[in-house]
Amino acid sequence: MEECINEYLQPYISIMKFLVNILGEHSEIALHDLTSDEHTIVAIENGHVTGRKIGDNPTNFILQVKQKRLYEKQDFVSNYKAIGKDGSVFRSSSYFIKDSSGQLVGMLCVNTDIGFFQQAKDILDYFTTFTETNTNAVAGKMENKVTEEYLHGNMDDALETVVTDQLIKSKMPFERMSPEEKTVFIKTLYDQGVFMLKSSVHRVSELLQTSEPTVYRYLQKVKEISKS
């Protein structure tokens, strides 16, 4: 499936079809147009793998790439871990598509559901080993560390997952944090590109059970720190 594609992304349509024929039905190939902030998926093959479709939103990983400008230092990130909406684990890779001036205009993303291959591995391990074995988690190394990618098509779901994940790591509600801890918390969300989304401050304030002015205040502080 695909919709109207801009000139920089058009050549990748045939590459998508090439890749999906090589990788098979357990791999999703998604093309993102990043000249738009939302609804970035403009073409997709095997969308059933993650349940995403054309018109769905960018992931938290894509927002981080834009926020941290990773594309200025490298052309792609490969073999990293991503999580599906149902908890499925994916081996993912993303290629950065740039215009003639080096600006990021799109990304070609490959997401392979490793569940099928993990089952096959477990069966082979059972028949070919004589001692108890431990399954190995597949996770790729990156030159620039980012958090796990969440392959949600709906932006509100993705935003909620990112914020909730940070709250779990913080082990306390936002309102019980000290001003310094709140600053660190908001900076973590900022570094992940959360505040690049429209109406993100409103949604974040709801999830943190605090006021929008509070989130704005800490966000402004974080921006000032980032500039210094």
Side-chain angles (χ1 to χ4, degrees), residues 6 11 19 25 31 54 59 64 68 87 112-113 124 151 191:
N6 76 42
L19 288 174
E25 63 179 349
L31 184 65
I54 288 176
T59 65
Q64 288 180 77
K68 297 182 178 182
T112 300
D113 186 348
L124 290 173
L151 300 173
D191 289 341

Side-chain angles (χ1 to χ4, degrees), residues 16-128:
M16 292 176 67
K17 299 183 185 303
F18 170 67
L19 288 174
V20 80
N21 271 281
I22 293 175
L23 299 175
E25 63 179 349
H26 299 287
S27 292
E28 173 198 78
I29 319 294
L31 184 65
H32 291 264
D33 184 346
L34 299 183
T35 60
S36 173
D37 292 329
E38 300 182 17
H39 311 296
T40 57
I41 296 183
V42 293
I44 192 165
E45 297 286 344
N46 284 348
H48 66 273
V49 173
T50 67
R52 296 188 300 169
K53 61 186 181 304
I54 288 176
D56 277 349
N57 294 285
T59 65
N60 61 310
F61 171 76
I62 291 176
L63 295 176
Q64 288 180 77
V65 168
K66 295 176 68 176
Q67 180 71 31
K68 297 182 178 182
R69 306 180 76 84
L70 299 184
Y71 58 89
E72 294 181 346
K73 303 175 183 178
Q74 57 201 86
D75 293 325
F76 60 86
V77 176
S78 59
N79 302 322
Y80 58 89
K81 183 179 180 181
I83 306 295
K85 191 173 182 179
D86 62 355
S88 301
V89 179
F90 294 82
R91 185 184 182 97
S92 299
S93 298
S94 294
Y95 181 81
F96 306 148
I97 304 171
K98 309 171 192 178
D99 63 18
S100 56
S101 63
Q103 294 302 305
L104 186 69
V105 294
M107 284 173 60
L108 181 64
C109 305
V110 180
N111 305 299
T112 300
D113 186 348
I114 68 169
F116 172 81
F117 301 100
Q118 189 66 61
Q119 291 175 11
K121 176 183 179 300
D122 291 344
I123 293 172
L124 290 173
D125 284 346
Y126 178 80
F127 284 105
T128 59

